[in-house]
Amino acid sequence: MDSDTAEPSAELVELISAIRRCMTELSWSYNVMGRRTDASSSTWNRWCTQTRLPRRDALVSFAKAAPEVVGRHRLLELWEAARAAQEAASAPAEASPPSPEAAPADSLIPAGRRPRLGAVLLGAAGVLVVGAGITVWTLTANAGDAPGGRAAPPATMAAPPTVRASPTISCHGDTCASLDPAHTHCADDAVTVYTAEKYGAKVELRHSQACGTVWAKMSKTFAGDRVIVSHRDGPSEEYRQQYGRDAHTSMLAVDAPEDAKACAIVQDRGTVCATERAPASPAPAETGR
């Protein structure tokens, strides 16, 4: 079930209520939140009015802007709890172990008989093979989520006790709003529709036809530079680069990419917006921020 259409968890409701209490205590409007944090005013409005899970980096920037108030309301702790509840709700239910009546006849050991040593060893070997297969599958499936598309080395070669759900998120239109394209399948068919280069930086308006979304991407930039995608009807997404040489925003739902505009604000140089029609070939896919 999609996390944006499901009933919000009690943990998420508590987090959003705490954010609103912080804003009330600080006398901050959504416009002030947009100026003082790493998320736009429209994004904060959507999170708080539609009870959606905010981005963690946006809460971190909120904590830096108002550390005493945010710390007292434990927003980051509440975010971790809400995220865990969301993941638990989206994970597939574990299969119940078969009852003795439903188990195959040859898997039941008659009373008073002990299994032969060879059978025990073969069963243990099967468990090890399955565990190793799960470990390899998990490392391969998550290889693209690390920054730059490289998988982090495992802390141990032992198989994990449980297999977590794939991080891939399926969405379309409004259900994709404020999600990271690098963590959804939306980046799979993405193409650059408009682009521009100025001040040594490059900005692109990226579009996924399958998801009905756009986002802004900038490259050849540095920490502190900002990238913004805005819809002509008002909604926008903004991201301030934290590290590396490129960054991208979360997504906006659109009927057509021409409804949106992508711009980069390059520190001490100026603003560059993607206004030139890009070549038909797709640009490199998004990686971690």
Side-chain angles (χ1 to χ4, degrees):
M1 181 179 292
D2 191 290
S3 60
D4 288 335
T5 59
E7 188 72 20
S9 65
E11 292 82 359
L12 178 55
V13 171
E14 183 180 1
L15 169 63
I16 297 303
S17 297
I19 292 174
R20 290 172 174 168
R21 288 195 298 271
C22 288
M23 291 177 62
T24 300
E25 186 173 333
L26 293 165
S27 299
W28 284 12
S29 64
Y30 290 120
N31 287 333
V32 175
M33 291 286 282
R35 291 196 301 269
R36 300 292 299 273
T37 69
D38 287 346
S40 65
S41 58
S42 60
T43 300
W44 279 110
N45 182 283
R46 181 161 50 253
W47 288 335
C48 292
T49 59
Q50 299 181 20
T51 317
R52 294 186 179 182
L53 184 68
R55 298 195 316 268
R56 191 179 190 281
D57 63 282
L59 283 184
V60 170
S61 65
F62 188 20
K64 291 180 179 178
E68 182 178 348
V69 173
V70 172
R72 186 166 62 253
H73 288 274
R74 304 182 300 109
L75 292 192
L76 293 178
E77 294 179 29
L78 294 175
W79 186 94
E80 295 292 349
R83 179 62 177 175
Q86 179 175 293
E87 291 181 349
S90 62
E94 295 183 357
S96 300
S99 63
E101 292 80 2
D106 58 358
S107 68
L108 300 179
I109 301 174
R113 293 184 59 184
R114 298 175 60 187
R116 294 183 180 180
L117 178 59
V120 174
L121 293 178
L122 286 175
V127 172
L128 289 176
V129 170
V130 172
I134 292 174
T135 300
V136 172
W137 177 87
T138 303
L139 293 176
T140 303
N142 294 329
D145 289 338
R150 296 186 296 273
T156 176
M157 291 305 295
T162 59
V163 179
R164 298 184 62 178
S166 167
T168 301
I169 302 172
S170 298
C171 61
H172 186 274
D174 289 337
T175 63
C176 293
S178 299
L179 296 182
D180 188 338
H183 297 161
T184 70
H185 67 78
C186 299
D188 295 350
D189 73 323
V191 296
T192 296
V193 183
Y194 292 98
T195 185
E197 292 192 49
K198 194 175 181 181
Y199 308 119
K202 180 179 181 180
V203 63
E204 304 168 62
L205 178 68
R206 300 275 282 158
H207 174 236
S208 167
Q209 183 174 358
C211 291
T213 59
V214 293
W215 58 93
K217 178 181 179 180
M218 65 181 182
S219 53
K220 304 177 186 177
T221 49
F222 298 90
D225 292 341
R226 291 184 290 160
V227 60
I228 304 169
V229 61
S230 55
H231 195 286
R232 64 184 180 184
D233 291 337
S236 64
E237 292 286 348
E238 178 178 336
Y239 184 75
R240 185 185 297 272
Q241 188 169 336
Q242 306 296 315
Y243 53 83
R245 295 298 310 276
D246 59 30
H248 59 271
T249 67
S250 298
M251 294 184 285
L252 288 179
V254 295
D255 294 324
E258 287 74 21
D259 293 339
K261 184 178 183 180
C263 295
I265 302 176
V266 186
Q267 292 187 107
D268 303 322
R269 284 174 281 175
T271 301
V272 53
C273 296
T275 56
E276 303 171 12
R277 176 66 71 168
S281 59
E286 282 63 27
T287 59
R289 289 175 172 175

